[in-house]
Amino acid sequence: MDRAGNTSPASAVRKIIIDYTKPSESTLIAPANNENTRTLTPVFRWGLSADTGSGISYYYLEADDDSGFASINYSETALQDTAAFQSSLNEGTYYFRVRALDNAGNAGTGSNVNLFRVDATAPGTQSIISPLNGEATFALRPV
């Protein structure tokens, strides 16, 4: 209201959510713990986190060759429960984890950590040493 008694229309009603609650922990699904994979671009999957406040904004996926995640080798954000890294992994042993962030900026507790191995190299060719090619043998079990 101004000095002359004029009033303006009421402003729009706005809902404000105050959210201090972290999202729940995600459960890792794939790669399974101790899994061996041949692909350099594995697909990572996890169970969705719950958030009763502002809702989940995104998930943060990390993979490292150190179980303590001292220097993260790969990281990616995802809106759902599946992600793959933009670049291929190198062969080796990795650990991965996921955590959810809600729309208020609260970071969830990180998931458990799964170990997986990337091995895309086929084994070398094996050589048969006995019996020799074309050799006749009378043994029931060639050596």
Side-chain angles (χ1 to χ4, degrees):
M1 178 182 301
D2 64 14
R3 291 183 185 163
N6 300 309
T7 59
S8 63
S11 64
V13 175
R14 303 204 181 225
K15 178 181 176 182
I16 298 173
I17 298 172
I18 299 174
D19 179 6
Y20 295 111
T21 305
K22 297 177 183 180
S24 66
E25 181 178 314
S26 297
T27 303
L28 302 180
I29 298 171
N33 195 35
N34 257 343
E35 183 174 327
N36 295 311
T37 182
R38 295 181 306 208
T39 180
L40 299 175
T41 55
V43 174
F44 297 86
R45 291 186 13 218
W46 55 89
L48 295 173
S49 296
D51 185 77
T52 57
S54 58
I56 301 296
S57 176
Y58 64 92
Y59 295 87
Y60 190 66
L61 167 65
E62 298 174 317
D64 197 7
D65 56 5
D66 172 39
S67 63
F69 293 84
S71 59
I72 309 299
N73 293 106
Y74 301 91
S75 62
E76 193 69 46
T77 58
L79 300 178
Q80 293 297 319
D81 58 350
T82 304
F85 295 115
Q86 297 297 318
S87 59
S88 297
L89 300 175
N90 295 318
E91 289 190 347
T93 300
Y94 292 95
Y95 304 86
F96 85 100
R97 64 186 178 189
V98 172
R99 65 185 161 125
L101 281 86
D102 69 16
N103 290 303
N106 299 311
T109 304
S111 66
N112 58 316
V113 175
N114 275 11
L115 172 145
F116 68 100
R117 290 171 210 77
V118 176
D119 181 3
T121 304
T125 304
Q126 302 297 311
S127 298
I128 299 174
I129 58 171
S130 178
L132 298 175
N133 191 24
E135 180 181 355
T137 181
F138 297 103
L140 296 176
R141 290 187 156 166
V143 179

